[in-house]
Amino acid sequence: MPVSRPLAADLARTIVDLFTAAETRLAADLARMLAAELEAPDWATRKLLAIGGVRELAERIVRRLDTATGAEVEQLLVLAYARGGQAALDELGRLGSAVPSQMTAIRRDLPGAEAIQRLVFSLVSTLRGTHLRITRWALDAYRTVVARASVGTLLGVETRRRTAQRAWEQLLSDGITGFTDRSGRNWQLASYVEMATRTTVAQAAVEGHLDRLGSAGLDLVIVSNAPQECVLCRPWEGKVLTRTGDGGSRELQLPHTTRRAQLVTVDLAGSVAEAITAGLMHPNCRHSLSAYLPGITKAPTNTEDPEGDKARQQLRYLERQVRSWKLRQAAAIDPAAAKAAGAKVRAYQARIRAHVAATGLHRQSAREQIGTAR
């Protein structure tokens, strides 16, 4: 079986669900606290005095995340690495007579314990790095809503409930932000956790797969074709890469896999590390790597599908809008705002149905639910 990021994507779901549920719960609890006693003349004073409760709420959620993530991360990365290794064994088995028989008989103990621990430490550190931002967002969001509602009421321009609702909608739209990756891109909490977790889980699966191929004496792999590919991956589709060798494209003269006396020309595009650095196997990438056998493996050609990628990205946008409006509806302070948000949900769902019908894409209803990462 070729190895790809989706091979272990379901394992990342556990961690992503923890954080998305925490974000949703925090937003709803803060809205509930703000809505209490909203008609009281001294509402702003009461809410500011309750700021300690907000801090306690946020810190309690963070403690739950901290307790849950450590063990979960190690377990899911070990499973991902093992899946990658098993995928390689399955692949070797299907290659049959094209691969020397001793290769298909390899059943060594799981290698890579050191690599797994390195990945565990990296991911746990990344996830714990979100905790301070979660607490700060809760406090800042709470203070912002109280301040805006107080000013709006004093000026007599609208009710405190309506002003609080508008301020809260803006905060929900922004989400818990402030996370920046190595490329300088800014993320919301759910998106950042999904990106970090799926990237590390996929890396574990890929390393398990490549390590197992290496133990079978195979160094070359080929990149699959994936419909609707993005511009980062498109240059690598159907290309041959080396697991361990140097980067850079070049021609190799290698023995034919089954006729060892015959040499075949292999166009090497570079190394796996080089391709990954250039963008291949990015978060949500659907490409896979599989063993390349000189003289046997046929590379896919004419695989470009730029319009498919545009259609898929539009579907992702519509899904994000549905989730955003569902959250606004669930945490609404003002009943009128809840009704309006429900209408927005239905409107965007109608657009999804039309888009899917026009493009032939598959609708994933789970991605339209609150708590699903971006």
Side-chain angles (χ1 to χ4, degrees):
M1 176 188 298
V3 67
S4 63
R5 289 192 179 275
L7 175 69
D10 62 304
L11 298 177
R13 190 75 257 155
T14 301
I15 300 298
V16 175
D17 285 348
L18 284 173
F19 278 81
T20 51
E23 183 179 31
T24 303
R25 176 64 182 273
L26 183 58
D29 284 351
L30 288 178
R32 175 182 51 78
M33 295 175 68
L34 288 163
E37 306 174 306
L38 195 59
E39 302 304 329
D42 60 344
W43 173 82
T45 301
R46 295 187 187 191
K47 295 298 123 175
L48 290 175
L49 290 175
I51 195 71
V54 175
R55 183 187 298 276
E56 182 180 349
L57 170 66
E59 290 178 346
R60 183 165 63 247
I61 289 176
V62 164
R63 285 195 298 270
R64 290 174 183 171
L65 287 175
D66 192 48
T67 300
T69 53
E72 292 285 357
V73 164
E74 182 166 15
Q75 182 180 31
L76 70 89
L77 290 181
V78 169
L79 288 173
Y81 190 95
R83 279 191 190 181
Q86 185 58 50
L89 291 174
D90 293 343
E91 185 180 346
L92 291 174
R94 281 196 302 276
L95 291 175
S97 60
V99 181
S101 59
Q102 67 268 26
M103 293 184 184
T104 64
I106 294 175
R107 290 296 187 274
R108 299 177 183 174
D109 292 337
L110 184 69
E114 183 177 338
I116 292 174
Q117 288 304 313
R118 171 175 48 80
L119 293 175
V120 168
F121 177 79
S122 174
L123 182 54
V124 169
S125 298
T126 297
L127 296 178
R128 286 177 176 167
T130 68
H131 293 176
L132 178 60
R133 188 66 191 131
I134 293 172
T135 303
R136 290 302 313 168
W137 180 85
L139 295 171
D140 292 345
Y142 188 86
R143 291 191 185 101
T144 298
V145 173
V146 172
R148 289 185 184 177
S150 301
V151 171
T153 301
L154 288 173
L155 293 176
V157 295
E158 61 185 353
T159 66
R160 186 183 293 111
R161 182 178 297 275
R162 181 55 193 154
T163 304
Q165 177 64 42
R166 288 197 304 106
W168 190 240
E169 286 176 355
Q170 182 61 52
L171 292 167
L172 287 179
S173 178
D174 294 342
I176 304 177
T177 59
F179 308 105
T180 306
D181 62 20
R182 286 180 294 181
S183 65
R185 181 180 176 184
N186 294 318
W187 299 78
Q188 293 184 333
L189 174 64
S191 303
Y192 181 74
V193 169
E194 182 178 45
M195 178 274 295
T197 305
R198 292 186 66 174
T199 297
T200 309
V201 168
Q203 185 178 351
V206 170
E207 288 194 16
H209 181 268
L210 296 180
D211 285 352
R212 188 67 80 175
L213 289 181
S215 67
L218 299 176
D219 184 61
L220 299 182
V221 295
I222 188 170
V223 182
S224 70
N225 168 41
Q228 306 159 6
E229 80 285 348
C230 70
V231 294
L232 291 176
C233 299
R234 192 170 301 138
W236 300 100
E237 283 194 336
K239 295 301 193 303
V240 180
L241 304 172
T242 174
R243 290 188 315 105
T244 60
D246 296 332
S249 60
R250 55 195 180 276
E251 282 190 356
L252 300 177
Q253 296 294 317
L254 299 174
H256 191 285
T257 301
T258 57
R259 300 188 291 272
R260 307 299 290 178
Q262 176 183 343
L263 292 179
V264 295
T265 301
V266 176
D267 292 320
L268 188 70
S271 67
V272 171
E274 180 183 13
I276 290 176
T277 299
L280 182 66
M281 310 299 281
H282 57 78
N284 301 323
C285 179
R286 292 166 295 112
H287 286 86
S288 62
L289 303 176
S290 57
Y292 178 82
L293 305 179
I296 300 293
T297 305
K298 302 299 182 183
T301 58
N302 301 319
T303 61
E304 296 82 0
D305 185 19
E307 294 305 316
D309 180 53
K310 292 179 182 178
R312 186 165 55 87
Q313 294 305 323
Q314 175 64 12
L315 180 58
R316 296 291 91 85
Y317 163 77
L318 295 173
E319 291 166 348
R320 289 194 297 271
Q321 293 303 311
V322 171
R323 292 195 301 267
S324 174
W325 285 106
K326 279 186 175 182
L327 180 56
R328 294 189 190 192
Q329 182 182 24
I333 298 172
D334 181 18
K339 183 177 180 180
K344 283 287 190 179
V345 169
R346 293 187 293 274
Y348 276 108
Q349 287 176 329
R351 289 179 61 180
I352 286 177
R353 289 192 294 271
H355 184 68
V356 168
T359 61
L361 293 174
H362 174 64
R363 182 179 182 182
Q364 302 179 59
S365 297
R367 294 187 61 87
E368 301 168 30
Q369 305 308 311
I370 298 175
T372 304
R374 284 70 173 168

